[in-house]
Amino acid sequence: MKKLALHWKIIIGMVLGIIWALVSSSMGWSAFTINWIDPFGTIFINLLKLIAVPLVLFSIISGVANIGDPKSLGRMGGKTLGMYLVTTILAITLGLVLVNIIKPGKLIDEQSRIDNRINYEIWADSQGYQIKDGINYLKDPAYLQRAQEISDLTKKALKEVSVSDKLETAGKQKETTPLQPLVDIVPDNFFRALSNNGLMLQVIFFAIFFGVSLLFVPDDKSEPVLKLVDGINEVFLKMVDLVMQAAPFFVFALLAGVVSKMAGDDIGKVLEIFKGLSWYSLTVLSGLLIMIFITYPLILKGFVKKISYSGFFKAMSPAQTLAFSTSSSAATLPVTMECVEQNLGVNKKISSFVLPIGATVNMDGTSLYQAVAVIFLAQLHMIDLTIGQQITVVLTTTLASIGSAAVPSAGLVMLIIVLDSVGLNPAWIAIIFPVDRILDMFRTVVNVTGDATVCSIIADGENMLDYQEKKSPTDTFDLDSKS
């Protein structure tokens, strides 16, 4: 068991969690699961939330500050960051379009979604969050009765939840100006933003501002700060690694607990949850495959005529294969650079600049998955997010993707940030955890393909692309020979 790879251990933990959820539901053991197993899942979420905010802060500062001397970047630096931003926004937009068309969260039975909604409203009140769509199901006596059946709250407590300060909040929202979301991004107190997950956009703004400012500070002054930031960032990445070592047990507890809370002793609801999960997986996978086989080739063809469709994928197949197997853009980076330089003919001056930045800031697959996941979880709980709230998802996922470490499952940590930004329960990640590993493998292929696409475009624009179509598969870079 010790020699077994971590992702296989996590998969075993998930399978055992699913089996336990089914057995627990059919045997009427949900109360035992919630009282004695679910708390370990809560500890897992708390550990991830503990790490998430400082990880985003120091990852973004490090990524921005390591870009280099802004005076020497010039046109190439601006084009690189601009192209990465465009592909990220395209990926998120595609994810939002697909999830709003397919509506995977609405493809389970209505009663299960109503129960999910009631649990959401009870949770939101206990955490001090606003009800996102302004609708309060607990005001309806019919739902109030059902709420008492699926929770341990009294009718009096449930009524207090339903008549809290929702009207006052709605009144305040009507008074806000159109540019209020922009104002809210800029913090007046950085430490208050750090202590409030709902203000994560302010933390991201500060991190970008701090990193950019470091670029303009003389090297002798900025270098100690940058070394400190990089060192702290490494510590938090190691904390993620340590937490993930215990993930197989935590995932078992988290999955069993969340399913028991949502389904209780009704095994039919457990099956409905996994039905919704299947549609969610298909939605994410559709978006990722569209990015790989349609979006990137179209973008590349629009800028670089000489690289053919089949030639691009033949050149990048070793890096894509490694990305799929490792789920790590960072681990794949050396092979990505080799494929881009040898097979696509990109000058090393371009690849050594563009690709490391891409491994840090370009997380198109992660961004698409996060956007789909947030809307799917909202749909699953009968929460209709407005266009404005979905734009917030786009903005948060775009910026949070900069802070996503290029290591397996780092996007799951960032998803907590995105869920918090729209006032949804971070513990809901347990619902999508069973399929995260396989989707993570496809997400990494998207990230690496996007890096290579942008790198080729920048090289062509700088007249540093010497692409020659390889006639034989043996002419392409051999991954095994470099191992």
Side-chain angles (χ1 to χ4, degrees), residues 190-245:
F190 170 65
F191 295 100
R192 184 167 66 88
L194 269 182
S195 63
N196 189 335
N197 286 336
L199 302 177
M200 194 58 213
L201 278 177
Q202 296 187 358
V203 176
I204 294 173
F205 172 85
F206 174 84
I208 295 174
F209 191 24
F210 191 97
V212 170
S213 299
L214 270 179
L215 292 174
F216 292 92
V217 175
D219 290 344
D220 60 324
K221 302 291 185 183
S222 63
E223 190 173 348
V225 178
L226 193 51
K227 284 184 177 179
L228 176 64
V229 169
D230 287 340
I232 295 175
N233 188 44
E234 287 298 319
V235 172
F236 281 106
L237 285 174
K238 178 53 67 176
M239 290 174 70
V240 172
D241 182 54
L242 292 174
V243 171
M244 292 308 293
Q245 292 301 316

Side-chain angles (χ1 to χ4, degrees), residues 109-120:
D109 73 274
E110 187 177 4
Q111 187 57 56
S112 295
R113 293 179 65 225
I114 290 173
D115 290 351
N116 293 345
R117 172 66 190 221
I118 292 171
N119 282 321
Y120 158 70

Side-chain angles (χ1 to χ4, degrees), residues 64-78 81 211-219 353:
V64 174
N66 278 311
I67 288 175
D69 182 5
K71 295 179 182 177
S72 67
L73 296 181
R75 182 180 66 256
M76 189 172 71
L81 295 176
V212 170
S213 299
L214 270 179
L215 292 174
F216 292 92
V217 175
D219 290 344
F353 171 76

